[in-house]
Amino acid sequence: MIRFYHVYQSYQKDVFALSDISFIVNPGEFIFLTGPSGAGKTTLLKLIIREEVPKKGQILVHGQNVSSIPVSKIPRLRRSIGVVFQDFKLIRTKTVFENVTFVLKTLGVDLKERRRRAHNVLKMVGLQHKTHFYPLELSGGEQQRVAVARAIVNDPALLLADEPTGNLDPDRAGEIMDLFEKINRKGTTVLVATHDRDMIQRMRKRVISLQAGRLEHDSGPQIQVEET
Ligand SMILES: Nc1ncnc2c1ncn2[C@@H]1O[C@H](COP(=O)(O)OP(=O)(O)O)[C@@H](O)[C@H]1O
Ligand SMILES: [Mg+2]
């Protein structure tokens, strides 16, 4: 599903945001990516969706080398990956329905099918009764659930979340995590970046920890990576 092989990323000469990162994510896994602020979590997620290209090393996503895929294939890569952010990133001037189905519309999916898919995902996140509300008419927890619905509406193989509970109180954060578990049980691979240690302890999943750009610990399947 995802393979990092001796990956390095830097924004300034000789300062590495990520150093020699290697790991494998198998289909169906649920993984936390943790580490203090500045450890490199967001950078790692950006590399997966090809928002950035690594300085060194190789990244495979769905078997494709994301550094070398042609620009024309990037949209298809991104459509196979749902992303949830800390600050929800909903469009204020669009309703819940419009936010959730925006990408489907740009892909030419007809209204009937958009309604069907929105109904399914909004039911999944428990918000079918808020379909025609605007984001600012919803609580923070509800807005994040809309963002999760939007991320899964195209049935992605992989769901990435970057500090998805950072703006939520503990109960609402727990609801989002329960939702990720439910999505994972339906077969989607889930990778959640968070520095919330309590949450990670409660969930008992594989944990990959970064520390100053280095992979400090991986509680999951250990992989043999040959030295380069
Ligand atoms: N666009 C950028 N330009 C320069 N430095 C960056 C940029 N993005 C991230 N960094 C640096 O890379 C390191 C890792 O950042 P980041 O991946 O955002 O960490 P985290 O998400 O774990 O807080 C930090 O030192 C940060 O300052
Ligand atoms: Mg970050």
Side-chain angles (χ1 to χ4, degrees), residues 37-38 40-43 86 162-163 193:
S37 180
K41 304 180 295 295
T42 298
T43 300
Q86 176 169 355
D162 195 359
E163 305 281 1

Side-chain angles (χ1 to χ4, degrees), residues 131-147:
T131 302
H132 302 294
F133 282 54
Y134 286 88
L136 294 179
E137 297 172 327
L138 305 176
S139 69
E142 288 172 332
Q143 288 184 52
Q144 191 59 306
R145 277 149 60 201
V146 172

Side-chain angles (χ1 to χ4, degrees), residues 113-131:
E113 177 65 9
R114 294 205 302 275
R115 282 195 178 131
R116 190 183 73 78
R117 295 223 217 151
H119 175 82
N120 288 344
V121 289
L122 288 171
K123 196 168 154 197
M124 174 109 176
V125 304
L127 286 176
Q128 66 276 47
H129 57 297
K130 300 269 165 103
T131 302

Side-chain angles (χ1 to χ4, degrees), residues 164-227:
T165 59
N167 286 352
L168 305 177
D169 64 59
D171 286 351
R172 301 293 87 71
E175 288 171 12
I176 296 295
M177 285 300 156
D178 293 346
L179 204 47
F180 287 155
E181 258 200 315
K182 194 160 126 187
I183 292 164
N184 177 245
R185 279 200 300 273
K186 290 187 137 199
T188 300
T189 306
V190 176
L191 178 58
V192 180
T194 178
H195 58 254
D196 185 343
R197 298 229 139 253
D198 293 341
M199 184 66 72
I200 292 172
Q201 287 227 331
R202 184 174 79 79
M203 300 283 288
R204 300 175 168 276
K205 304 288 187 193
R206 175 177 169 193
V207 180
I208 296 176
S209 337
L210 299 177
Q211 180 75 43
R214 296 196 165 268
L215 199 155
E216 184 188 47
H217 184 71
D218 182 351
S219 71
Q222 297 301 306
I223 55 161
Q224 295 294 319
V225 178
E226 312 90 78
E227 293 305 315

Side-chain angles (χ1 to χ4, degrees), residues 9-12 15-18 33-46 52 162-163 193 195 210 212-213:
Q9 179 63 322
S10 65
Y11 299 103
Q12 292 160 265
V15 181
F16 285 92
L18 290 176
L33 177 65
T34 192
S37 180
K41 304 180 295 295
T42 298
T43 300
L44 193 152
L45 297 181
K46 284 180 176 169
E52 292 180 3
D162 195 359
E163 305 281 1
H195 58 254
L210 299 177

